[in-house]
């Protein structure tokens, strides 16, 4: 016989709401925990692709100009020198690659063919190559040696295939030469593993044959055969020429650009536009600064390399201005990098290490005018905390709250520090944003004084200024294309560089390999800050 439940014991249906309520109280709510997360700000277009980001991160590349010119003493070969003159007695591509790697150059580019048309690989489309030389009895391949050494060392490889060819008879016949050129490009991009850089230009001497290059076809084939390859020319498509061969970037330097206004090889291209870029541009085409360690691009016995101090100044004006430094270090006729060049590169590396290995801000106390999501300034673990600027890498950054009119980072170094270098980085995967900023320091008399100011930041900005001694600093973003984002901040002491030489923004522009020099001088006074003497 069944028994009906009494009101005193209750029924299962009656107790179910109470049990559910108890369970909800005991189980953490996923909705409440996720509500504290704030989505990142929207990126601002245009953006770099994945391969351009890798290129930015590498910062510097070595260029190897090598060929018949190395043995003749020419800069521009005639295309008629007999290939038997090419005979390096001790070529060692591993030495070239190791020199690059130990000195912080993670990419290299070889002049596989310069203007004289001589090929450093055994091309099947011409006899004007290493195959016709006595070097290794005609069985040598410079590019193969370099590719093998680069693969072992983990260094990225690039090639320069000169469009101008002074040897081939079909040069001047638009259809035939474009076919010839693409056939050689295909050899280079299918025989030697992964190619990360393809360097192109429109250099050509006055009075030479007229030629139309099918650049868009070239670009399409290159990206088809080597998708990771960054293509460089006057106007991209992936990186652009800065407009001079001195290794000097513009003190305003946007990676944002419009390539349609700068045709490749155009002698009337605006040098200022090439250097500065365009904040209203529709493409991501960052600037490359090329310069040779010697007066010439090929090795000449009478020439000496620049000093390590010279290279450090170039570093400030290239890598320190949102540009990539392409430094040419030409091998000598034996096939080695000369000892004097090796020594300069080692000294250059030691200088950089001594200056940038001690970031005074690493133990600082930080605050901000606001933090995205309303996080407190002392919450170093918050997603957009100002403390993110102490972490290396692009993917952590300080972000202010939206719709603000003041963007300030406050820095307490916790002791009086003497310094003269400011380093800034933006998370460029979110777009380039900042267009004006300045740094202030609290003087011992209690007055804030402007130390230095700049325009663009981009991947990296380095500003050198007269020595300052202070504990309290303010980084102020004055103008930005969107809410500013800062991924890294550094404060350093450079005891060796003359700040006035870095502040000089006179630029003499010239075309590739000193062709058709244009004496155009531009002045950019964006560094004209109220410099504060040592406090």
């Amino acid at each position: 016989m069944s028994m009906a439940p009494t009101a005193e014991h209750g029924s299962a249906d009656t107790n179910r709401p109470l049990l559910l309520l108890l369970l909800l109280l005991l189980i953490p709510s996923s909705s409440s925990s996720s509500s504290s997360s704030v989505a990142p700000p929207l990126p601002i277009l245009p953006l770099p692709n994945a391969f351009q980001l890798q290129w930015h991160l590498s910062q510097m590349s070595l260029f190897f100009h090598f060929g018949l010119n190395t043995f003749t003493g020419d800069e521009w070969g005639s295309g008629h020198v007999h290939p038997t003159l090419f005979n390096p007695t001790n070529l060692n591509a591993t030495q070239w690659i190791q020199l690059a790697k130990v000195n912080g150059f993670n990419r290299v580019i070889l002049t596989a063919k310069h203007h004289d048309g001589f090929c450093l690989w055994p091309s099947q489309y011409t006899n004007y190559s290493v195959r016709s030389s006595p070097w290794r009895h005609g069985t040598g391949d410079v590019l193969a040696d370099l590719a093998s050494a680069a693969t072992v060392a983990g260094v990225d490889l690039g090639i320069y295939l000169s469009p101008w060819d002074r040897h081939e008879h079909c040069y001047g016949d638009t259809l035939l030469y474009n076919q010839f050129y693409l056939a050689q490009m295909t050899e280079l991009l299918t025989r030697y593993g992964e190619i990360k850089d393809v360097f192109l230009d429109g250099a050509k001497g006055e009075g030479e044959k007229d030629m139309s290059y099918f650049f868009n076809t070239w670009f399409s084939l290159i990206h088809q055969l080597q998708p990771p390859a960054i293509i460089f020319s006057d106007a991209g498509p992936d990186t652009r020429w800065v407009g001079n061969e001195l290794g000097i970037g513009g003190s305003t330097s946007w990676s944002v650009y419009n390539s349609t206004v700068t045709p490749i090889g155009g002698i009337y291209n605006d040098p200022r536009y090439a250097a500065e870029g365009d904040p209203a541009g529709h493409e991501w085409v960052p600037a490359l600064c090329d310069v040779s360690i010697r007066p010439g691009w090929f090795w000449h016995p009478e020439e000496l390399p620049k000093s390590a101090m010279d290279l450090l100044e170039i570093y400030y004006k290239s890598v320190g201005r949102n540009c990539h430094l392409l430094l040419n270090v030409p091998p000598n006729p034996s096939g080695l990098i000369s000892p004097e060049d090796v020594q300069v590169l080692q000294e250059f590396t030691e200088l950089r290490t001594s200056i940038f290995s001690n970031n005074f801000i690493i133990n600082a106390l930080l605050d901000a005018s606001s933090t995205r999501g309303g996080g407190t300034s002392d919450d170093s673990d918050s997603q957009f905390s100002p403390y993110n600027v102490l972490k290396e890498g692009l993917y952590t950054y300080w972000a202010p709250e939206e719709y603000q009119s003041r963007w300030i980072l406050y820095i307490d170094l916790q002791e009086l520090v003497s310094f003269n270098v400011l380093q800034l980085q933006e998370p460029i995967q979110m777009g380039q944003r900042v267009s004006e900023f300045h740094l202030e320091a609290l003087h011992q008399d209690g007055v804030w004084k402007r130390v230095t100011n700049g325009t663009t930041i981009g991947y990296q900005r380095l500003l050198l200024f007269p020595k300052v001694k202070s504990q309290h600093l303010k980084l102020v973003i004055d103008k930005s294309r969107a809410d500013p984002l800062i991924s890294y901040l550094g404060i350093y002491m450079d005891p060796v560089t003359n700040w006035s030489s870095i502040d000089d923004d006179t630029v003499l522009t010239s075309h590739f390999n000193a062709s058709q020099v244009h004496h155009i001088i531009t002045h950019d006074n964006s560094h004209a800050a109220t410099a504060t003497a040592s406090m």
Side-chain angles (χ1 to χ4, degrees):
M1 182 175 64
S2 63
M3 182 179 294
T6 64
E8 183 177 346
H9 291 91
S11 67
D13 290 339
T14 304
N15 292 332
R16 186 173 293 130
L18 180 60
L19 292 172
L20 290 173
L21 178 61
L22 289 172
L23 286 172
L24 289 172
L25 291 174
L26 291 172
I27 299 173
S29 169
S30 60
S31 61
S32 63
S33 62
S34 63
S35 64
S36 62
S37 297
V38 179
L42 279 175
I44 180 171
L45 297 177
L47 301 177
N49 63 38
F51 307 119
Q52 288 172 317
L53 277 175
Q54 292 177 7
W55 180 87
H56 279 286
L57 290 169
S58 60
Q59 299 190 34
M60 301 188 298
S61 303
L62 282 191
F63 212 167
F64 299 125
H65 273 64
F66 189 59
L68 279 174
N69 292 348
T70 308
F71 299 86
T72 63
D74 294 328
E75 282 289 301
W76 281 8
S78 66
H80 302 296
V81 174
H82 202 278
T84 54
L85 204 60
F86 183 84
N87 192 19
T89 56
N90 195 26
L91 192 145
N92 186 347
T94 298
Q95 186 230 15
W96 307 4
I97 291 295
Q98 288 301 319
L99 183 69
K101 186 172 183 177
V102 300
N103 289 294
F105 296 83
N106 298 317
R107 304 169 87 103
V108 299
I109 298 176
L110 175 69
T111 55
K113 183 188 80 170
H114 203 251
H115 308 326
D116 62 354
F118 183 76
C119 300
L120 295 183
W121 81 102
S123 174
Q124 70 185 72
Y125 298 101
T126 181
N127 291 323
Y128 203 53
S129 78
V130 288
R131 179 184 288 139
S132 300
S133 77
W135 177 58
R136 295 181 183 170
H137 307 290
T139 64
D141 186 333
V142 178
L143 185 55
D145 283 10
L146 192 64
S148 177
T151 299
V152 170
V155 172
D156 292 333
L157 177 65
I159 53 102
Y160 169 50
L161 185 67
S162 172
W164 181 28
D165 191 317
R166 306 186 78 180
H167 176 80
E168 289 305 314
H169 295 297
C170 65
Y171 188 87
D173 185 315
T174 296
L175 180 59
L176 290 180
Y177 184 73
N178 276 277
Q179 292 173 344
F180 170 81
Y181 186 88
L182 282 181
Q184 289 199 321
M185 181 66 78
T186 300
E187 288 182 318
L188 296 177
L189 299 183
T190 57
R191 293 183 181 179
Y192 299 96
E194 193 169 56
I195 301 296
K196 286 295 188 69
D197 288 274
V198 176
F199 188 101
L200 302 173
D201 62 37
K204 186 173 67 174
E206 294 182 9
E208 294 290 326
K209 299 175 184 177
D210 290 331
M211 263 295 305
S212 295
Y213 303 136
F214 296 166
F215 281 117
N216 288 332
T217 303
W218 299 2
F219 298 160
S220 295
L221 182 71
I222 293 166
H223 280 149
Q224 178 191 101
L225 297 177
Q226 290 282 352
I230 293 294
I231 303 175
F232 163 88
S233 80
D234 294 30
D238 300 315
T239 64
R240 73 181 193 266
W241 189 38
V242 77
N244 67 81
E245 291 184 333
L246 305 175
I248 298 176
S251 57
T252 294
S253 180
W254 292 99
S255 295
V256 185
Y257 199 67
N258 279 325
S259 60
T260 55
V261 304
T262 51
I264 300 174
I267 62 173
Y268 300 111
N269 288 346
D270 181 355
R272 185 159 190 155
Y273 190 80
E276 294 187 359
D278 187 348
H282 302 293
E283 302 159 89
W284 189 273
V285 189
L288 177 141
C289 295
D290 59 329
V291 65
S292 184
I293 196 171
R294 290 167 172 259
W297 289 85
F298 287 88
W299 186 91
H300 305 292
E302 71 277 9
E303 294 181 352
L304 294 175
K306 295 175 173 62
S307 70
M309 284 299 303
D310 292 333
L311 295 187
L312 182 60
E313 289 189 11
I314 289 171
Y315 181 82
Y316 276 112
K317 292 184 176 183
S318 56
V319 175
R321 292 182 177 179
N322 188 40
C323 300
H324 187 103
L325 174 60
L326 177 59
L327 178 64
N328 179 63
V329 182
N332 61 34
S334 72
L336 297 172
I337 307 298
S338 295
E340 58 268 28
D341 296 11
V342 172
Q343 180 178 347
V344 167
L345 285 175
Q346 291 174 342
E347 292 172 354
F348 173 46
T349 299
E350 291 166 1
L351 283 173
R352 298 195 325 274
T353 301
S354 67
I355 295 167
F356 296 106
S357 61
N358 184 19
N359 186 357
F360 295 131
I361 200 178
I362 201 68
N363 295 313
L365 301 176
L366 302 179
D367 199 353
S369 53
S370 67
T371 299
R372 187 174 179 83
T376 59
S377 59
D378 58 354
D379 183 5
S380 60
D381 293 326
S382 95
Q383 186 177 2
F384 303 109
S385 166
Y387 283 91
N388 285 342
V389 303
L390 304 181
K391 304 173 184 177
E392 294 186 0
L394 295 178
Y395 295 95
T396 53
Y397 50 86
W398 166 65
E401 194 64 273
E402 293 181 300
Y403 311 118
Q404 303 297 304
S405 58
R406 295 172 66 252
W407 303 305
I408 304 174
L409 277 173
Y410 301 94
I411 304 153
D412 179 358
L413 299 173
Q414 301 200 73
E415 62 179 341
L416 284 172
V417 173
S418 295
F419 59 92
N420 63 355
V421 178
L422 170 67
Q423 177 190 21
L424 292 172
Q425 291 185 284
E426 289 182 272
I428 55 174
Q429 76 278 5
M430 304 293 287
Q432 190 175 351
R433 296 163 176 255
V434 175
S435 54
E436 285 187 26
F437 66 91
H438 70 268
L439 182 70
E440 297 181 25
L442 185 63
H443 199 274
Q444 290 180 354
D445 60 9
V447 177
W448 286 97
K449 293 189 177 181
R450 182 173 296 201
V451 173
T452 189
N453 60 266
T455 51
T456 49
I457 297 174
Y459 172 68
Q460 182 164 244
R461 188 62 188 268
L462 298 172
L463 289 179
L464 186 69
F465 42 85
K467 186 175 69 172
V468 173
K469 189 174 184 179
S470 182
Q471 177 179 338
H472 298 279
L473 309 174
K474 287 193 298 187
L475 175 68
V476 182
I477 310 299
D478 300 299
K479 292 183 181 179
S480 187
R481 298 170 66 223
D483 290 337
L485 309 174
I486 302 297
S487 59
Y488 195 71
L489 194 156
I491 297 291
Y492 309 94
M493 183 65 204
D494 179 349
V496 296
T497 309
N498 181 354
W499 76 270
S500 61
S501 65
I502 305 302
D503 198 54
D504 179 12
D505 290 317
T506 300
V507 176
L508 180 67
T509 67
S510 62
H511 277 273
F512 293 113
N513 294 316
S515 60
Q516 299 184 6
V517 175
H518 292 263
H519 296 279
I520 303 170
I521 298 178
T522 62
H523 296 276
D524 189 324
N525 297 316
S526 63
H527 281 299
T530 305
T532 307
S534 178
M535 295 181 182

